[in-house]
Amino acid sequence: MAIKHFLQLSDFTLDEFEHVIERAHIIKRRYKNYEKYHPLVDRTLVMVFEKSSTRTRLSFEAGMQQLGGNSIYINTQDSQLGRGEPVEDAAQVMSRMSDIIMVRTFGQEIIERFASHSRVPVINGLTNEHHPCQVLADVFTFIEHRGSIKGKAVAWVGDANNMLYSWLQAAEIFDFHVNVSTPKGYDIDMNLVTPGNTHFTRFEKPADACVGAHLVTTDVWTSMGFEAENDERLKAFDGWCIDSEKMKLAAPNAVFMHCLPAHRGEEVTGDVIDGPQSVVWDEAENRLHVQKALIEYLLLGKVKE
Ligand code: CP
Ligand code: NVA
C-alpha cells in the first residue's frame, strides 16, 4: 500500500476529512468517558522540532500515548540535524525505527524532501507555508460549536502566513469563503494558493473583512523564523488588531479563533480573546482529538467501530 502523508490540507479529499472528523468526535467522546482505546500498542511516533512548540508537542505526545503508543521528541539542537545531517538521511533512519513521524520545520520543501525519503507517514506539524493540523482542528471546533462550515464566511485579519494558506486550502475542500485583509506589503503570495481558488476575497480595510463573518480569526504578526522583521511588522500591522468593534461587524453568533500563542494588544485585544465569543481553549484542546483521528487514519485506514 502506498504511504499517505499529511503535508498540507490538499493531500486529503473531503471524503477523507469527513472520516477523520467523524472519528475525532468519537475518539474525543470516548476519551472523555475514560474508555480505553489502545490500537497503537508498540507503535512509535517520532516528533522532529526545528522550531519551538507548546501545543503541537503536547497534543501529539499525549495523543500517541492515549492511543497506546509512544513518542520520541527530537529537536535540531540536540540531534545531528543541527550538525548538518541531510534531512533525506534523517528521514531514512527515523522511518526505520518508527511508525509515523511529525515534522515542524521551516520551508515546505524541507518536509517534502523528508517525506519523499520516509518509509512511514509524515505529518506537517507546521512549516513556513502551512499549518494543516491546526486548521483541521479549527474546522472541527467550528463544527462542534456551530455545525457545518459549508457556505460560511471566515474573516482572516492579519499576516499572510502559514495559517492563512491552510485556511485557503480548507475553504476549497469544505466549500466556505475566506475574507482576507492583510496590510500593504504583506499580501497573499499567489504562488502558495491553488490556481483557480475562488473561495476567498481580499479586503483593503480589515473591518470590511469582518462584516457578516461567522468566524473571525487571526494569528501573530510575526511568525517563527521572521523575528528580525518584528519592529517593522508592528508598524505595518497597526489597525489590524481584532477588537470588539470588529467583532460587532461579524454575524451575531460569530466565534473568534486564534491558533495561539497570542499577543494581547497586538493582533487581538484581551476582551475579545478572553470574551464570550472566543473558543480558543476548545480550539487548542481539539488539536489532541483531531490528531489522534489523523494518526489512526494514516496508520490503520478507515476504522469503523
Ligand atoms: N498552535 C500551535 O501550533 O502552537 P504551538 O506552536 O505551541 O505548537
Ligand atoms: N504563524 C505562527 C503560528 C504558530 C503556531 C508561526 O508560524 O509562528
Side-chain angles (χ1 to χ4, degrees):
M1 197 178 91
I3 315 163
K4 191 146 186 79
H5 302 297
F6 186 61
L7 305 185
Q8 46 186 308
L9 286 166
S10 59
D11 288 342
F12 276 32
T13 62
L14 177 61
D15 176 69
E16 288 176 301
F17 281 121
E18 282 175 345
H19 170 81
V20 170
I21 287 171
E22 172 66 21
R23 288 296 298 165
H25 284 298
I26 294 169
I27 286 170
K28 178 173 182 175
R29 193 184 62 238
R30 290 183 182 165
Y31 177 68
K32 298 266 177 192
N33 288 338
Y34 282 74
E35 289 174 38
K36 204 178 269 187
Y37 181 49
H38 284 174
L40 299 181
V41 172
D42 284 345
R43 301 296 113 194
T44 299
L45 163 74
V46 166
M47 306 185 294
V48 180
F49 283 94
E50 300 216 84
K51 292 176 176 172
S52 306
S53 170
T54 297
R55 281 143 287 268
T56 303
R57 179 178 177 182
L58 267 172
S59 53
F60 272 104
E61 198 165 325
M64 195 61 187
Q65 191 178 347
Q66 290 162 20
L67 291 169
N70 58 81
S71 58
I72 297 173
Y73 170 82
I74 288 180
N75 65 25
T76 314
Q77 303 87 283
D78 302 330
S79 69
Q80 300 290 6
L81 282 169
R83 299 180 63 251
E85 180 164 22
V87 289
E88 291 82 356
D89 294 2
Q92 293 273 9
V93 173
M94 289 178 193
S95 67
R96 296 254 178 156
M97 302 188 193
S98 65
D99 303 278
I100 189 160
I101 302 174
M102 184 240 83
V103 178
R104 168 169 284 196
T105 187
F106 293 88
Q108 185 74 9
E109 94 285 349
I110 300 173
I111 200 169
E112 278 166 10
R113 276 163 48 211
F114 189 102
S116 68
H117 288 79
S118 171
R119 289 184 162 196
V120 302
V122 177
I123 298 173
N124 182 347
L126 182 147
T127 56
N128 291 348
E129 292 85 356
H130 297 283
H131 199 1
C133 292
Q134 182 68 58
V135 171
L136 180 57
D138 294 3
V139 168
F140 179 84
T141 305
F142 186 88
I143 295 169
E144 264 192 333
H145 281 268
R146 296 286 182 266
S148 173
I149 197 165
K150 186 175 159 83
K152 296 290 196 295
V154 173
W156 176 271
V157 171
D159 190 22
N161 65 13
N162 41 17
M163 283 295 296
L164 173 61
Y165 295 115
S166 288
W167 271 114
L168 295 182
Q169 290 193 351
E172 286 185 283
I173 298 162
F174 292 95
D175 191 15
F176 60 85
H177 203 82
V178 189
N179 297 337
V180 183
S181 181
T182 59
K184 278 205 176 59
Y186 297 88
D187 305 327
I188 297 175
D189 177 354
M190 290 307 289
N191 293 317
L192 297 178
V193 180
T194 322
N197 183 343
T198 54
H199 292 260
F200 70 98
T201 306
R202 286 186 255 202
F203 292 84
E204 210 171 296
K205 294 193 184 125
D208 292 346
C210 298
V211 175
H214 304 96
L215 161 56
V216 178
T217 187
T218 187
D219 186 12
V220 290
W221 292 340
T222 304
S223 286
M224 290 181 279
F226 298 84
E227 289 80 1
E229 300 173 11
N230 193 46
D231 290 348
E232 67 189 78
R233 282 172 172 269
L234 277 175
K235 286 183 214 132
F237 283 77
D238 186 29
W240 267 261
C241 176
I242 305 280
D243 54 19
S244 55
E245 293 306 308
K246 292 192 187 69
M247 287 305 293
K248 275 186 208 135
L249 299 168
N253 67 345
V255 289
F256 172 79
M257 288 191 199
H258 189 310
C259 67
L260 306 175
H263 296 83
R264 287 169 178 76
E266 289 185 18
E267 73 274 8
V268 61
T269 55
D271 61 333
V272 169
I273 194 168
D274 300 316
Q277 287 171 282
S278 173
V279 295
V280 296
W281 311 125
D282 288 342
E283 182 188 359
E285 178 191 322
N286 283 334
R287 292 287 302 278
L288 173 71
H289 310 298
V290 300
Q291 288 163 194
K292 284 167 76 178
L294 177 66
I295 292 170
E296 181 197 66
Y297 176 63
L298 288 171
L299 289 182
L300 304 175
K302 284 191 172 171
V303 171
K304 290 190 191 76
E305 56 170 89

